[in-house]
Amino acid sequence: MIKTLKHILGFSILLTSITVGRAQHSFSFNNEPVLAKYQDSLVALNSLILASENNASRFEHNAAFIKTLVNALKTPFSFAFPFDSLKTISVVKSPDNALRILSWSVPADDGSYRFFGAIQMATTNGQLKLYPLIDQTDNLKTPYEVTDHQRWYGARYYEIGFVPGTKPYYVLLGWKGNNQKTTKKVIEVLSFEKDLPVFGKPVFEGSKSVASKNRIIFEYNKMNSMTLTIDKSVNLLVFDHLAPFTPDMEGNFEYYASDLSFDAFKFVNSKLRLVENVELKNEPNEMDDFYIDPEDKSTTPVKKL
C-alpha cells in the first residue's frame, strides 16, 4: 500500500489550531450560500481524484480536497450543511445530534485503499470543533486494538447508532475495502474519554472469539456483497453469515460469501450480544450493496450464492 505520510501530516497540521470538544445541540443555519460554493469546489476536486491515473496525482488532488473541506467546515454553523452533492463522501450524523462523521476512501494503484475522515462536533455558537481521523491501519499491532483518532482503523462509515447508558457509545458500520481479491466491512465502536474519541470497546458478547474483540471485522470475496445494517424495528444489528464455498477453503477469505442465513447483535444492557441464525420476516435494507467496490461502477454484486 502506498505511504501517504506527507498528506496525513498535512491533514493534522491543518487541524492543529482547531479546538475540540463534545456537545449536543440543535441550531439554525444561515451560511448555506458560502458552503454551497465550497461544495462546488469539493465536487470538482473529487472528480479530479476519480479521474487520476496514478497515485501521485490522486493523492495530490486529495490533499487539496482536504484543505478545501477544512476551510468549508470552519464556516460558522457548517454542522448543519449536508454536503449531499459529494456522492463519494459519506456523511453520517449521530441519532443524538451530537456529532457527525465525514469519511471517504482513495484507491491506490495496487488495489488497496487509504481512508480519510473527521469527526465534527455540534457546538452552540457554530464554531468548528473537529477531530481528524488518521488512517494507521498498516501500523497497528492488531486490527482489534483500542485506538484514538490519530491511530484510526480507517473505514468509510455509512450508518451510525447510539447506545445510551452510564458510559454511552456509538456503533459505526463501515466499508473497509481491502485488496484485489477481498473486501472488508467493520463494526466499529466510538466512545469518548476525557472529551477525546476512542475507537474500539469490549462490548461484544457471544462466542469466546467474539467476546475478546474490540471491533468486528468481516472479510469476503470482492465480487460479492454483504448485508450489514441496523434494524431499529427489532433492536438488532443484522448481518449476513459468511462461510467458505467449501469446507476445505476455511480461512481463505477470497472464497467466503453469504450462506443465505443471518446473524445479529442484539442491544442488551449496553452490550452487543451475538444471536445466530436470525429469522427475518423481511429482507434487511441492503443500502450498502454498492460497497463491493465504489470505484468500479461496472461491477454487479452477487446477492447470494
Side-chain angles (χ1 to χ4, degrees), residues 8 14 61 83 105 175 177 179 208 234 297:
I8 294 173
L14 281 169
H61 291 311
F83 290 103
S105 64
W175 180 87
N179 55 40
K208 183 177 180 181
V234 290
K297 302 303 182 185

Side-chain angles (χ1 to χ4, degrees), residues 144 200-204 208-217:
Y144 299 104
K201 194 178 183 70
V203 296
F204 301 97
K208 183 177 180 181
S209 61
V210 166
S212 65
K213 295 176 180 177
N214 294 302
R215 64 179 56 86
I216 302 297
I217 302 168

Side-chain angles (χ1 to χ4, degrees), residues 148-206:
D148 57 25
H149 64 289
Q150 296 181 336
R151 297 177 63 253
W152 176 47
Y153 186 71
R156 179 179 170 183
Y157 302 124
Y158 58 87
E159 194 166 2
I160 182 171
F162 178 62
V163 181
T166 55
K167 294 183 178 180
Y169 61 89
Y170 302 92
V171 175
L172 309 175
L173 307 186
W175 180 87
K176 177 67 177 168
N178 194 36
N179 55 40
Q180 295 178 342
K181 294 182 178 181
T182 67
T183 293
K184 292 181 179 180
K185 285 188 177 180
V186 60
I187 303 174
E188 182 63 272
V189 180
L190 169 64
S191 57
F192 286 81
E193 294 182 8
K194 297 181 180 179
D195 215 28
L196 293 174
V198 176
F199 288 95
K201 194 178 183 70
V203 296
F204 301 97
E205 294 182 337

Side-chain angles (χ1 to χ4, degrees), residues 44-97:
L45 286 167
N46 188 244
S47 296
L48 293 175
I49 294 172
L50 296 176
S52 296
E53 297 182 354
N54 55 67
N55 284 333
S57 175
R58 200 172 292 123
F59 285 97
E60 180 179 357
H61 291 311
N62 186 65
F65 181 93
I66 291 171
K67 182 177 181 179
T68 304
L69 177 61
V70 172
N71 288 333
L73 295 176
K74 287 181 179 178
T75 304
F77 299 106
S78 64
F79 186 87
F81 190 78
F83 290 103
D84 50 3
S85 291
L86 295 173
K87 302 303 182 183
T88 61
I89 310 300
S90 292
V91 183
V92 292
K93 183 178 291 187
S94 64
D96 61 350
N97 204 41

Side-chain angles (χ1 to χ4, degrees), residues 5-170:
L5 181 59
K6 68 177 183 178
H7 300 108
I8 294 173
L9 290 176
F11 196 11
S12 299
I13 292 171
L14 281 169
L15 300 171
T16 53
S17 63
I18 300 173
T19 58
V20 293
R22 187 170 183 230
Q24 177 180 347
H25 300 289
S26 59
F27 44 76
S28 61
F29 169 66
N30 56 9
N31 283 322
E32 184 173 359
V34 174
L35 283 161
K37 290 182 179 179
Y38 273 120
Q39 179 170 243
D40 290 342
S41 298
L42 290 167
V43 169
L45 286 167
N46 188 244
S47 296
L48 293 175
I49 294 172
L50 296 176
S52 296
E53 297 182 354
N54 55 67
N55 284 333
S57 175
R58 200 172 292 123
F59 285 97
E60 180 179 357
H61 291 311
N62 186 65
F65 181 93
I66 291 171
K67 182 177 181 179
T68 304
L69 177 61
V70 172
N71 288 333
L73 295 176
K74 287 181 179 178
T75 304
F77 299 106
S78 64
F79 186 87
F81 190 78
F83 290 103
D84 50 3
S85 291
L86 295 173
K87 302 303 182 183
T88 61
I89 310 300
S90 292
V91 183
V92 292
K93 183 178 291 187
S94 64
D96 61 350
N97 204 41
L99 60 87
R100 66 176 180 173
I101 302 177
L102 300 90
S103 57
W104 69 96
S105 64
V106 176
D109 292 341
D110 63 359
S112 62
Y113 299 85
R114 175 69 64 179
F115 290 85
F116 299 84
I119 303 173
Q120 184 181 16
M121 313 303 297
T123 60
T124 52
N125 60 7
Q127 295 302 304
L128 180 60
K129 293 186 178 181
L130 199 72
Y131 300 93
L133 300 178
I134 310 302
D135 187 358
Q136 293 289 336
T137 300
D138 293 341
N139 299 320
L140 299 178
K141 293 180 180 180
T142 166
Y144 299 104
E145 67 179 278
V146 175
T147 67
D148 57 25
H149 64 289
Q150 296 181 336
R151 297 177 63 253
W152 176 47
Y153 186 71
R156 179 179 170 183
Y157 302 124
Y158 58 87
E159 194 166 2
I160 182 171
F162 178 62
V163 181
T166 55
K167 294 183 178 180
Y169 61 89
Y170 302 92

